[in-house]
Amino acid sequence: MGQLLTPAQLRDLMADLLEGAAGGDASDWRAAIGPVEKHPLWSHTRCNWTVEPKGRRS
């Protein structure tokens, strides 16, 4: 079984992937990703993560 990620680890992973794919700084991407929240599987069977991105649509 794989490693379970914490919300902070998931946010860091997304920031690292975006930094590599789109450039920029990982800290800027973390700010753009915004807060990440993990929900219990018993109450969120389809997706147990909430991500609230910050910024504007271009």
Side-chain angles (χ1 to χ4, degrees):
M1 185 170 176
Q3 176 185 350
L4 298 176
L5 295 176
T6 66
Q9 290 172 323
L10 180 61
R11 186 171 141 185
D12 289 343
L13 176 62
M14 289 189 292
D16 290 343
L17 292 171
L18 287 166
E19 179 185 26
D25 188 47
S27 62
D28 293 334
W29 282 114
R30 278 186 207 90
I33 292 167
V36 176
E37 185 177 354
K38 185 175 182 182
H39 304 287
L41 282 174
W42 62 266
S43 64
H44 295 78
T45 56
R46 287 185 169 234
C47 181
N48 66 325
W49 295 96
T50 300
V51 179
E52 297 182 25
K54 306 293 181 195
R56 301 183 315 247
R57 291 185 180 184
S58 39

